[in-house]
Amino acid sequence: MDKKINQTIIEVIKGNITKSQLDCIVNAANTSLLGGGGVDGAIHRVGGKAILDECIKIRNKQGNCPVGEAVITTGGNLKAKYVIHTVGPVWKGGKNNEAEKLKDCYMNCMKLAQNNHIRSISIPNISTGIYSYPKVEAANIAIQSVIDFIRRNKSMLHVQFVCFDEENYEIYEEKLKRYA
Ligand code: AR6
């Protein structure tokens, strides 16, 4: 399903983000930026060595990527021209700034996309896999943050939330419907 807010189409799909045809995809990375499991592993596998080489360069320059922040590389062998790598918080019960950090991820990805003139972006359900963030709470933050951003910034034309599992897909669909 999708919804138009101002100029921007917000869409929820079920699928594999490495197949996205949009300008940019977001990666749920870790602070090392050197790859891992889950969506990170899939993106590096399909995107190839160019992405890892750029991540290593970024790391050599600025060290680990802190939780909540984001960096950009090209898309290597992916259809997407860019990958924005962000580091979500590990869920530790909710009293360790997890919500703020997760919001920072979405905001910093959107800002970095805007600064790079990106018009369309696919975003996974950051932190809801290996990092165990509760899915309903994470979806609230994801959708609210992105909508707040696009209400203030008009350059993004298409935001696609790519849900890999059925549970996240149903949660996102339900939440987006409420923004009628
Ligand atoms: N396309 C879209 N979504 C996916 C895909 C895919 N190909 N594969 C998994 N997901 P996770 P995290 C979903 O674990 O929780 C890595 O090792 C998945 O179902 O990938 O932020 C990193 O290096 C879930 O909803 O990321 C870090 O160490 C969502 O993507 C750590 O995992 C996020 O799950 C980050 O953990």
Side-chain angles (χ1 to χ4, degrees):
M1 75 165 293
D2 58 60
K3 184 139 286 187
K4 200 157 185 194
I5 294 184
N6 297 332
Q7 301 273 67
T8 315
I9 294 168
I10 302 195
E11 184 187 20
V12 174
I13 65 159
K14 196 174 158 202
N16 179 346
I17 204 164
T18 63
K19 300 202 186 309
S20 171
Q21 310 264 355
L22 302 191
D23 295 343
C24 176
I25 68 174
V26 170
N27 181 18
N30 59 60
T31 55
S32 81
L33 297 174
L34 298 178
V39 70
D40 194 11
I43 289 171
H44 278 278
R45 244 184 337 268
V46 180
K49 194 172 171 292
I51 297 180
L52 183 61
D53 287 347
E54 286 178 62
C55 284
I56 291 169
K57 265 192 203 149
I58 293 168
R59 229 182 103 82
N60 288 343
K61 226 193 214 165
Q62 65 188 53
N64 278 353
C65 181
V67 175
E69 298 201 3
V71 302
I72 189 165
T73 66
T74 58
N77 300 327
L78 291 160
K79 290 224 170 65
K81 204 168 158 208
Y82 298 101
V83 179
I84 291 179
H85 308 259
T86 189
V87 183
V90 177
W91 179 258
K92 291 179 188 155
K95 295 198 173 121
N96 295 278
N97 288 332
E98 290 96 330
E100 277 166 44
K101 294 290 175 196
L102 189 60
K103 182 175 179 185
D104 289 347
C105 286
Y106 286 97
M107 286 304 192
N108 286 325
C109 286
M110 295 301 286
K111 278 186 210 157
L112 197 50
Q114 187 180 39
N115 293 342
N116 285 277
H117 312 290
I118 288 163
R119 297 272 188 258
S120 62
I121 188 165
S122 293
I123 314 180
N125 312 136
I126 300 164
S127 283
T128 67
I130 293 162
Y131 284 177
S132 303
Y133 206 109
K135 290 177 182 176
V136 171
E137 286 82 352
N140 278 331
I141 291 169
I143 291 174
Q144 194 61 58
S145 306
V146 166
I147 289 178
D148 285 351
F149 186 90
I150 62 174
R151 283 200 169 124
R152 292 198 303 266
N153 303 275
K154 311 273 191 258
S155 62
M156 186 63 74
L157 299 179
H158 188 175
V159 178
Q160 184 182 61
F161 289 108
V162 181
C163 305
F164 198 60
D165 57 275
E166 181 64 28
E167 194 187 349
N168 262 320
Y169 178 65
E170 283 171 15
I171 292 168
Y172 270 74
E173 276 231 315
E174 188 53 40
K175 301 231 171 273
L176 194 59
K177 261 189 223 154
R178 286 204 223 133
Y179 282 94

